[in-house]
Amino acid sequence: MGSIDRYIFRTTLASFALVLVSLTGVIWITQALRGIDLMTSQGQTILTFLGVTSLVIPALVLIISPIALMIAVSHTLNKLATDSEIIVMNAAGFSPFRLFRPFLYATCVVALLVAFIAAYLAPDGMRRLKQWDAEITADVLANILQPGRFAQLDQNLTIRIRERQPGGLLSGIFIDDRRDPNEHVSIVADHGTVVKTESGSFLILEDGNLERFEVGKRDPALVAFGRYAFDMSKFSNQGHDVALGIRERYLWELIAPDDQVYKDVPGQFRAELHDRFMAPIYPFAFAALTFAFLGAPRTTRQSRNFSIGSSILAVFALRMIGFACSVMAVKSPLAPAVQYLMLLGAIGASLWLIIGGIVVEPPAGLLEAIDKSNARLLRLLGRPATA
């Protein structure tokens, strides 16, 4: 690359990085606030909270990157136009397509980043998030049992503890177990501890009483115990085997899926696979559209507002149609083909405008109508219209 190419390339990528970090940070905060219950209701630390919520960042970057690139290209072109650099380069013999070359280099970098995230990083983060979330929610005794609250672990199993003491000691334990339809068991213990072994997890209760009501018997059976083990393996082992969804699968797992899983949801596999393939194409489409509207040389008297608004509308429409095609791809095999044609058509039309040096300007009738509307509005406000 020449010095001009390097200058535009660096400016575009720097703007892209700044916009990407800013947008991702804002959206990540809104998503992270939904998981605040990790600290409030499940007793997790701030580090665990940040670690779990940060795993969604690659998935956010995957969606935000093409938009951030569009904003970066718009900012760079606006900067070049404001400083009259585009006009100078055009006068020096730079064609619009030659000026587009450093933006194309920057787009290739973004496309490679998006491809890596789509193929590996985003699904890896999602599966780590699912595994971590399962481990947190599965460790019932350590995280869900809160002092002074009745925690319903199963449909007919309720546990309450009075307080937690140093060393993992639980005091004031009450258990109401109605899982067996033939009996109802109530346990009250002074204190207890959690013991995890190879055979499972157990709540070791000490100094308590057990009351058992059996069906068909009039009086309950009362037992005073010094030490009693209550099996909690069903709850503490829930996080070991996690069923992976479509979004948690790597690209190569979507290309060659498990036959049994694929038979259950073939449409979802098809839609997700094509989404991964099309993710690196969106940066090229967005960058080409933005440059087609804003890259042509203009004088400082020519307004760029129409071109900026048109580029935003074009990119927005392209992305919305893409989302709609992704949803329809679950049921229709033709929807991905429509999406590919749409993206290639947008890139082709943009390149035609760039190579031809066509300046996208609003129709003269539209400008005249806007001027008349502005003059009418100024008269209503009692202000003289400018000549």
Side-chain angles (χ1 to χ4, degrees):
M1 291 188 290
S3 58
I4 296 178
D5 291 339
R6 287 196 299 270
Y7 166 68
I8 297 176
F9 179 78
R10 288 196 306 266
T11 304
T12 304
L13 283 186
S15 302
F16 166 76
L18 179 61
V19 174
L20 181 64
V21 171
S22 302
L23 290 179
T24 303
V26 171
I27 299 176
W28 172 74
I29 290 175
T30 62
Q31 296 293 321
L33 291 177
R34 299 179 181 180
I36 198 69
D37 63 314
L38 281 173
M39 294 188 297
T40 58
S41 63
Q42 298 189 18
Q44 297 298 313
T45 64
I46 183 65
L47 293 178
T48 301
F49 167 73
L50 293 175
V52 171
T53 55
S54 64
L55 291 174
V56 303
I57 291 179
L60 295 177
V61 172
L62 185 63
I63 301 298
I64 297 173
S65 290
I67 300 173
L69 178 63
M70 179 206 72
I71 297 174
V73 172
S74 300
H75 167 74
T76 304
L77 288 173
N78 188 63
K79 181 178 180 296
L80 294 175
T82 303
D83 297 337
S84 299
E85 291 173 319
I86 293 182
I87 296 177
V88 172
M89 285 186 283
N90 182 70
F94 270 58
S95 65
F97 187 76
R98 173 63 181 82
L99 180 60
F100 180 62
R101 193 167 70 181
F103 293 98
L104 183 61
Y105 295 153
T107 303
C108 290
V109 174
V110 175
L112 290 175
L113 172 66
V114 170
F116 173 69
I117 293 175
Y120 174 77
L121 201 58
D124 185 70
M126 296 302 293
R127 67 170 58 192
R128 288 176 184 272
L129 175 63
K130 195 167 189 178
Q131 179 69 33
W132 203 343
D133 183 65
E135 292 176 357
I136 291 174
T137 55
D139 197 358
V140 176
L141 299 179
N143 301 307
I144 295 182
L145 293 182
Q146 298 298 316
R149 294 184 181 181
F150 288 90
Q152 188 171 1
L153 308 185
D154 205 348
Q155 185 175 2
N156 294 305
L157 177 62
T158 303
I159 298 181
R160 179 187 184 275
I161 61 174
R162 185 174 67 245
E163 63 177 340
R164 292 179 180 271
Q165 297 182 358
L169 185 67
L170 308 176
S171 62
I173 301 173
F174 169 76
I175 300 176
D176 183 73
D177 188 358
R178 301 171 183 258
R179 292 175 295 175
D180 189 343
N182 296 320
E183 65 179 18
H184 171 205
V185 178
S186 296
I187 305 175
V188 177
D190 181 73
H191 58 276
T193 55
V194 179
V195 176
K196 295 183 179 181
T197 64
E198 295 181 357
S199 57
S201 298
F202 299 89
L203 178 58
I204 306 300
L205 306 173
E206 298 184 9
D207 299 332
N209 297 283
L210 183 148
E211 187 178 56
R212 178 181 287 110
F213 294 87
E214 296 184 11
V215 176
K217 292 186 179 181
R218 179 178 178 181
D219 299 324
L222 299 175
V223 178
F225 58 83
R227 189 178 179 87
Y228 179 81
F230 188 81
D231 190 2
M232 299 291 292
S233 301
K234 175 183 176 181
F235 307 100
S236 60
N237 289 330
Q238 288 178 351
H240 292 325
D241 299 323
V242 178
L244 296 178
I246 306 300
R247 297 181 62 191
E248 287 88 29
R249 297 179 183 273
Y250 300 119
L251 179 61
W252 51 89
E253 294 176 339
L254 294 175
I255 296 175
D258 180 79
D259 292 338
Q260 184 59 41
V261 179
Y262 181 77
K263 289 179 181 178
D264 296 335
V265 284
Q268 295 182 17
F269 269 92
R270 178 177 58 247
E272 184 66 22
L273 178 62
H274 287 292
D275 276 348
R276 303 282 184 89
F277 283 149
M278 280 181 279
I281 304 178
Y282 273 101
F284 290 100
F286 285 12
L289 278 173
T290 304
F291 191 92
F293 281 99
L294 300 174
R298 292 179 175 88
T299 65
T300 55
R301 292 181 177 271
Q302 292 177 291
S303 176
R304 302 170 62 86
N305 295 333
F306 176 81
S307 297
I308 293 174
S310 299
S311 65
I312 294 175
L313 289 177
V315 168
F316 178 78
L318 189 67
R319 182 69 268 191
M320 289 300 101
I321 296 174
F323 282 135
C325 290
S326 297
V327 174
M328 291 187 293
V330 177
K331 295 183 179 180
S332 174
L334 295 178
V338 173
Q339 196 169 0
Y340 283 114
L341 291 175
M342 176 190 65
L343 289 174
L344 295 178
I347 295 174
S350 300
L351 291 177
W352 176 73
L353 292 173
I354 295 171
I355 294 174
I358 300 174
V359 180
V360 180
E361 292 285 353
L366 178 61
L367 289 178
E368 184 178 354
I370 293 175
D371 291 338
K372 290 181 179 179
S373 177
N374 291 337
R376 191 180 301 112
L377 180 61
L378 289 174
R379 284 196 299 270
L380 290 176
L381 296 175
R383 299 178 182 179
T386 57

